[in-house]
Amino acid sequence: MADADETSKQAERNTNVGDGIAVKKQDIARAKNEGKELTKDEKQRLRKEKKQQKKNKKDDKGESEHENVPLPPSQAVVQCQSQKVCTSEKPAKSKAEQRAERRARQEADRAAKGKKGESAQQPPSGKSKAPPNELQPVVKRLPEHVQVDDPAAVRKLAKKLERQQIPVRSEYGYKVSLFSHLHQYSRKAPLTQQISIPSTVIHPYIVRLGLQYSQGIVAGSNARSIALLHAFQKVIQDYKTPPNEELSRDLVNKLKPYISYLNQCRPLSASMGNAIKYVKKEISNIPCLCKEEEAKKQLLSCIDNYIKEKITLAATTISAYAIEKISNGDVILVYGCSSLVNHILCDAFDKKRKFSVIVVDSRPRLEGREALRRLVKKGICCTYVLISAVSYILPEVSKVFLGAHALLANGYVMSRVGTSQIALVAKAYNVPVLVCCETYKFCERVQTDSFVSNELDDPDDLMVTRKGKIHLENWQDIRQLGLLNLVYDVTPPDFVDLVITDLGMIPCTSVPVVLRVKNVDQ
Amino acid sequence: MVFLILYSTLAMIDVHSFKRTMPVTDKEVALSERIEAFLAELKRGGSGAGTLRGSGETARETTALLRRITGQAQWSSAGDLMEIIRKEGRRMMATQPSETTVGNMVRRVLKIIREEYARLRGSSEVTDQQESLHQLLTSGGLSEENFGQHFKDLRANVIEAINELLTELEATTDHIAMQALEHIHSNEVIMTIGRSRTVEAFLKDAALKRKFHVIVAECAPFCQGHEMATSLSEAGIETTVIADAAIFAVMSRVNKVIIGTQTVLANGGLRAVNGTHTLALAARHHSTPLIVCAPMFKLSPQFHNEEDTFHKFVSPHEVLPFTEGEILSKVNVYCPVFDYVPPELITLFISNIGGNAPSYTYRLMSELYHPEDHEL
């Protein structure tokens, strides 16, 4: 009796398992054995049990911070049942409960004191239901793809991939010491060579998508995001909820190995990251009582809406704003192949503006040729030069339109390598620089140089055949020679005069304002 | 009979060129053949398709040819010689206007002739200098001098002076490389663009004693940076090749930018390989010093907007190959070879006579060339 009182008095966060846990457990076990679907309460109880067990395991190991590994459901059920079998007596159970509660309290205290500069208001509970306060300190985890020089991080990634049954991609070639913290892969060794086809772990559409990314068949941040979302739609269509699981939780867990796989094929872009965050949020917001078919239909239409709103309609809006900036007789300079800038120019041409375009291109990707093809097909009068001739051609230019891969929170523009150079030379000649970017590419990262977070492409791409001879053919044999093939660079905000987004025309420094407004909306 | 009349009329019409085109002696035949061969080499070498010869080689060959002309051509006074050399010089410059070292060597030789003549005439060097200053003010002076007097020793003296010039030319790269240790310290990151034999020798000399890292921008479309990088790395220097597009991205880690150039212009600016202006702007943005290794024979009395011959273009096939046929016909494609770099972006010139600032160029110019020779 006293035990029951004690247990009932303890009103801790996740200890309502304390009241009559054994009874509930028997119910659950019975329901499972009968093959009926668990009710919502039972599912919640099960979840909380799992959490408690995990915490106990952690306390036993004595670790302070660790990633929460979601136990596969079957394991937890077995544990649950076994625990029920061996700890069915009430007094023993409540003692374990007390120990658990004490430990949980200790951990909460430790956590409150341990973190430096953290406000004491942060409740020790896992979920903080307080409204997102922007002044709350953020505990960010450094993304794995910029920690290649840290062996502990590499081991952790390898373990995670092993668990998800995804092969690790091997590094290629000599890496320049300034970039030893980034991955460098060869295009000739795609990840698909190391997995069995058909793969049992990864959906075939995702396998295909990963290969398309790593070979550069799908390139450009809009194209990559749209391809990713379509692949997710296929995955959702083919998904079947396993018994005794909720769609909102299991589907998110199903997507995690796919995302790791895609990350291994090619590091995720900022736009892809935002799209994934949105999809995960939508999935976890599916109400539990929703039937599977309905839930899937809802998710598919959510994704369609996202693409329509954030990409297609945004392009139309940006084009409508941008056309005010294009006057007759303009000579417009563009760099590389940005789908948005091409769209703007084609729209302006359709609206009978008279202008000519100069397309600047750079080795080794030579993406400008694709933009050139599209513009010439439309009938726009074009000129084509390489990036080293920019200072020759710039005196004739009246405006520069650039696309962006992402806009960072400190106002820097992350874009294809060479963009910052064009902005620099344009500034020297007093030519206005306009950057066009949809708001879904805004990201909360901050960066001041192109070194800390970048992508290294295949170094063999820099080789070129001139007069039948390749000078750098044996670069791997020469120990002191390194080739560097960067993919992105950051442009400081003082080179950019205007950013055209679907929310309007803003200066570069207003990006954190837009991000804040978006967060409050959500 | 008729033939004779025709012959003589032709002869009367065009006496001077007749003199030129019909050499009298075997020596002159050989000489004109030499000149023609040299002009053909110049023409072929400048298109970018043939072997790109270094300017040093061109300078030496030009000087050797001028020495030969001095030795073998028919002339009686300094004025005649100068006339001959001017004519040949104009022809050579017309063949390849972008190869300015030819014109520079011609002007140097003309200055040598003037000096030797003045020395033989007996006027001391001091008065010469004073006269030249006075000349600057009054634009008169030595122009009254028609260089008509005949001196027996003039030929020998001029040839000797040209030999000295040749020795100087052969040693320029070494003299520049000797200064390397004054400018490069250990653990530096140095950036360069394209391929310059002077910079290559400079860096290799420094690498004998110090350890540093070099980043080479490949300089599309000719990608001469690749050759430079292989050559430097084989000499034991830690080298990295980057694409042109990454110049600004990488510049924040660079300590010094060391480049070569095709020509140093009269205002201290450069005519260098394309992409150099971007490099200079990026260096200025990061406050990185820009050092130009240029021997004295590259100094030219031209300004960059003087003639239409500043820019040189080569086949657009290098930029957009003929395999892209469908769009090639509808598009303008440019492939300029040179870039203009204004003197404000340059920190230091290193030449075989030492280092100097771009603002000192005008003085060097007055020491090398006579003002009347600026227009050949």
Side-chain angles (χ1 to χ4, degrees):
Chain A
M1 216 58 237
D3 289 352
D5 276 352
E6 225 179 294
T7 50
S8 59
K9 265 190 223 152
Q10 332 278 347
E12 301 284 355
R13 37 193 164 107
N14 49 5
T15 54
N16 49 2
V17 283
D19 7 63
I21 171 77
V23 177
K24 289 284 181 202
K25 278 220 153 99
Q26 279 164 6
D27 280 341
I28 290 169
R30 207 191 325 122
K32 281 209 177 86
N33 292 339
E34 289 176 23
K36 253 196 318 191
E37 215 178 67
L38 300 173
T39 62
K40 179 177 176 211
D41 285 341
E42 285 161 359
K43 281 193 196 156
Q44 245 183 0
R45 298 268 178 303
L46 204 56
R47 236 178 283 135
K48 285 185 179 122
E49 252 296 311
K50 283 187 217 165
K51 254 197 220 160
Q52 192 60 36
Q53 279 159 14
K54 255 184 268 167
K55 202 148 234 84
N56 292 345
K57 237 190 347 184
K58 254 191 252 172
D59 292 343
D60 292 338
K61 279 196 201 150
E63 286 174 57
S64 51
E65 50 174 73
H66 209 344
E67 226 182 348
N68 262 345
V69 177
L71 290 173
S74 47
Q75 248 184 33
V77 168
V78 166
Q79 248 184 23
C80 188
Q81 284 178 337
S82 61
Q83 215 172 36
K84 179 203 113 191
V85 161
C86 58
T87 60
S88 47
E89 290 91 14
K90 255 200 165 182
K93 191 71 200 136
S94 53
K95 229 188 246 166
E97 269 307 303
Q98 286 176 9
R99 222 181 298 134
E101 284 157 19
R102 239 179 286 130
R103 270 209 206 95
R105 233 179 301 136
Q106 275 174 1
E107 244 199 31
D109 289 345
R110 212 188 307 141
K113 272 188 240 156
K115 293 197 179 128
K116 297 180 204 163
E118 183 155 290
S119 55
Q121 310 145 3
Q122 182 154 36
S125 72
K127 300 183 194 165
S128 59
K129 298 216 168 65
N133 184 4
E134 69 191 62
L135 295 176
Q136 213 162 47
V138 179
V139 177
K140 273 197 188 145
R141 244 185 326 204
L142 206 56
E144 173 281 323
H145 72 273
V146 298
Q147 284 191 303
V148 177
D149 55 349
D150 179 13
V154 173
R155 270 199 304 271
K156 198 161 122 188
L157 171 73
K159 257 194 274 184
K160 177 172 132 193
L161 290 178
E162 205 182 298
R163 210 174 38 236
Q164 293 171 338
Q165 294 174 302
I166 293 172
V168 181
R169 203 165 173 197
S170 49
E171 308 279 326
Y172 172 74
Y174 168 68
K175 244 191 284 183
V176 179
S177 57
L178 284 169
F179 290 94
S180 57
H181 61 287
L182 297 173
H183 287 294
Q184 183 171 279
Y185 301 125
S186 164
R187 191 159 305 136
K188 296 197 196 65
L191 201 56
T192 42
Q193 285 175 353
Q194 297 170 281
I195 61 177
S196 59
I197 310 257
S199 160
T200 45
V201 177
I202 309 174
H203 193 281
Y205 265 98
I206 303 277
V207 174
R208 184 177 81 163
L209 188 64
L211 190 61
Q212 284 173 333
Y213 281 166
S214 70
Q215 301 298 103
I217 300 171
V218 173
S221 69
N222 276 345
R224 282 165 74 188
S225 307
I226 295 179
L228 179 72
L229 290 170
H230 282 157
F232 276 178
Q233 280 183 325
K234 292 274 181 338
V235 166
I236 291 173
Q237 267 170 5
D238 294 342
Y239 172 74
K240 286 215 168 3
T241 329
N244 310 323
E245 280 302 323
E246 263 185 44
L247 182 136
S248 61
R249 291 189 173 261
D250 187 58
L251 186 52
V252 176
N253 290 342
K254 262 273 173 10
L255 290 180
K256 282 196 185 148
Y258 298 166
I259 295 168
S260 303
Y261 167 75
L262 291 176
N263 211 352
Q264 285 286 89
C265 289
R266 192 176 161 189
L268 298 179
S269 64
S271 52
M272 286 165 73
N274 287 345
I276 290 173
K277 250 189 260 175
Y278 174 78
V279 168
K280 279 191 180 166
K281 191 177 70 95
E282 285 303 311
I283 295 177
S284 29
N285 285 347
I286 296 276
C288 309
L289 302 169
C290 207
K291 279 215 186 18
E292 190 177 312
E293 282 314 310
E294 248 182 65
K296 290 211 287 200
K297 220 164 40 161
Q298 190 184 338
L299 284 174
L300 292 177
S301 75
C302 270
I303 294 181
D304 275 333
N305 275 344
Y306 186 82
I307 295 179
K308 192 167 98 162
E309 218 181 271
K310 302 277 182 191
I311 303 179
T312 322
L313 284 182
T316 325
T317 323
I318 293 178
S319 177
Y321 283 127
I323 199 169
E324 300 166 24
K325 297 290 174 196
I326 300 179
S327 12
N328 282 334
D330 261 349
V331 178
I332 297 178
L333 187 127
V334 299
Y335 176 61
C337 184
S338 165
S339 53
L340 187 54
V341 174
N342 290 343
H343 184 260
I344 290 174
L345 293 176
C346 293
D347 262 358
F349 188 74
D350 286 334
K351 297 204 171 73
K352 306 284 184 264
R353 288 275 203 278
K354 304 264 173 295
F355 58 92
S356 66
V357 175
I358 299 181
V359 178
V360 177
D361 203 7
S362 76
R363 279 196 72 238
R365 284 177 163 241
L366 295 172
E367 291 172 328
R369 291 193 188 164
E370 184 52 45
L372 194 64
R373 267 180 226 120
R374 292 186 200 170
L375 295 174
V376 166
K377 207 155 68 160
K378 197 84 188 174
I380 302 178
C381 171
C382 295
T383 307
Y384 180 77
V385 287
L386 286 181
I387 196 171
S388 36
V390 145
S391 56
Y392 163 72
I393 203 105
L394 223 108
E396 303 180 24
V397 172
S398 57
K399 289 187 182 75
V400 177
F401 273 79
L402 299 171
H405 168 88
L407 240 62
L408 305 175
N410 58 341
Y412 279 63
V413 178
M414 183 175 196
S415 182
R416 184 68 79 219
V417 67
T419 313
S420 54
Q421 227 166 279
I422 298 214
L424 168 80
V425 184
K427 188 92 190 161
Y429 283 90
N430 267 329
V431 174
V433 174
L434 293 87
V435 171
C436 309
C437 182
E438 300 96 334
T439 45
Y440 88 105
K441 288 182 189 163
F442 285 19
C443 107
E444 275 162 11
R445 236 177 38 212
V446 287
Q447 214 176 311
T448 51
D449 60 30
S450 323
F451 288 85
V452 276
S453 178
N454 207 327
E455 198 185 315
L456 293 178
D457 210 355
D458 191 352
D460 289 336
D461 286 344
L462 283 178
M463 296 201 285
V464 70
T465 314
R466 286 203 56 88
K467 300 183 199 135
K469 192 170 143 197
I470 306 178
H471 282 286
L472 293 178
E473 199 161 15
N474 304 319
W475 71 273
Q476 307 240 37
D477 300 331
I478 309 175
R479 208 178 56 82
Q480 278 95 356
L481 187 58
L483 302 186
L484 186 61
N485 191 357
L486 285 178
V487 180
Y488 298 118
D489 73 4
V490 281
T491 310
D494 34 348
F495 291 161
V496 176
D497 293 305
L498 189 66
V499 178
I500 307 180
T501 69
D502 39 323
L503 292 178
M505 301 201 256
I506 58 174
C508 235
T509 42
S510 301
V511 169
V513 177
V514 170
L515 280 171
R516 178 175 168 209
V517 163
K518 268 200 332 183
N519 282 344
V520 167
D521 280 345
Q522 287 166 7
Chain B
M1 190 67 190
V2 175
F3 185 72
L4 271 170
I5 295 169
L6 226 61
Y7 194 78
S8 49
T9 43
L10 276 172
M12 276 191 284
I13 288 168
D14 208 345
V15 175
H16 291 291
S17 57
F18 186 72
K19 250 199 219 161
R20 181 77 57 239
T21 51
M22 289 288 282
V24 178
T25 59
D26 288 332
K27 250 205 277 182
E28 286 203 0
V29 171
L31 182 62
S32 55
E33 269 176 16
R34 272 285 161 99
I35 296 176
E36 296 300 327
F38 182 65
L39 289 176
E41 266 297 313
L42 267 184
K43 209 176 186 75
R44 240 204 331 263
S47 69
T51 43
L52 289 159
R53 300 145 97 223
S55 331
E57 232 177 281
T58 317
R60 280 194 291 277
E61 284 188 23
T62 315
T63 317
L65 192 60
L66 291 172
R67 181 180 58 184
R68 193 175 277 271
I69 294 177
T70 315
Q72 293 175 355
Q74 301 258 354
W75 53 275
S76 55
S77 70
D80 285 346
L81 179 60
M82 279 166 54
E83 210 29 62
I84 294 173
I85 290 192
R86 263 200 212 105
K87 269 218 172 78
E88 292 303 327
R90 276 196 283 263
R91 269 179 80 198
M92 288 195 271
M93 278 167 60
T95 328
Q96 193 62 251
S98 68
E99 196 61 60
T100 44
T101 42
V102 171
N104 296 345
M105 288 299 103
V106 170
R107 293 185 185 98
R108 287 289 285 273
V109 168
L110 288 173
K111 176 121 202 243
I112 286 173
I113 298 172
R114 282 174 205 268
E115 278 178 358
E116 292 302 321
Y117 183 80
R119 189 170 303 142
L120 283 176
R121 242 177 42 125
S123 45
S124 64
E125 279 188 45
V126 176
T127 47
D128 262 346
Q129 261 187 10
Q130 277 178 348
E131 271 179 358
S132 70
L133 275 175
H134 182 76
Q135 186 186 336
L136 282 169
L137 288 171
T138 59
S139 73
L142 272 174
S143 56
E144 315 153 355
E145 183 65 65
N146 63 358
F147 296 97
Q149 246 179 313
H150 172 76
F151 290 108
K152 233 181 7 176
D153 304 327
L154 188 62
R155 196 186 284 254
N157 286 0
V158 169
I159 291 182
E160 202 184 306
I162 296 182
N163 282 338
E164 274 175 29
L165 178 60
L166 267 173
T167 342
E168 184 196 313
L169 287 177
E170 273 158 28
T172 45
T173 317
D174 290 330
H175 286 160
I176 292 179
M178 274 186 338
Q179 303 172 53
L181 284 176
E182 296 170 22
H183 298 282
I184 300 179
H185 59 78
S186 295
N187 282 332
E188 266 200 300
V189 178
I190 294 178
M191 183 171 227
T192 183
I193 186 169
R195 180 168 193 211
S196 162
R197 285 166 192 71
T198 319
V199 175
E200 210 179 305
F202 191 80
L203 293 175
K204 282 183 180 168
D205 202 89
L208 295 172
K209 299 265 175 64
R210 307 230 162 110
K211 276 245 148 314
F212 52 91
H213 190 122
V214 176
I215 299 181
V216 181
E218 65 178 5
C219 191
F222 304 108
C223 292
Q224 292 202 303
H226 293 184
E227 271 178 69
M228 176 86 156
T230 23
S231 153
L232 287 177
S233 53
E234 275 159 9
I237 305 178
E238 196 70 43
T239 321
T240 304
V241 178
I242 61 168
D244 291 335
I247 288 177
F248 185 75
V250 169
M251 183 59 79
S252 52
R253 290 297 172 275
V254 173
N255 299 118
K256 283 195 176 76
V257 180
I258 301 183
I259 56 176
T261 174
Q262 201 257 1
T263 309
V264 179
L265 300 168
N267 62 346
L270 299 181
R271 183 209 251 166
V273 75
N274 69 339
T276 314
H277 189 211
T278 312
L279 183 64
L281 284 172
R284 205 249 309 258
H285 182 264
H286 289 98
S287 300
T288 311
L290 177 66
I291 298 176
V292 180
C293 292
M296 273 291 112
F297 64 80
K298 286 191 179 168
L299 191 56
S300 163
Q302 292 171 336
F303 288 89
H304 84 282
N305 47 7
E306 231 174 41
E307 309 145 40
D308 292 330
T309 52
F310 182 83
H311 278 291
K312 187 170 95 158
F313 297 90
V314 288
S315 163
H317 168 77
E318 311 280 351
V319 174
L320 196 59
F322 294 121
T323 45
E324 306 273 345
E326 324 91 58
I327 44 176
L328 196 56
S329 51
K330 305 187 188 114
V331 172
N332 298 326
V333 181
Y334 295 113
C335 186
V337 180
F338 298 123
D339 239 357
Y340 169 64
V341 181
E344 305 87 62
L345 300 174
I346 303 168
T347 317
L348 184 69
F349 279 108
I350 295 182
S351 67
N352 44 319
I353 57 177
N356 28 57
S359 48
Y360 190 62
T361 328
Y362 80 98
R363 202 80 196 112
L364 293 170
M365 195 91 65
S366 68
E367 283 175 26
L368 288 178
Y369 312 124
H370 195 272
E372 292 203 340
D373 295 331
H374 287 189
E375 292 288 325
L376 271 187

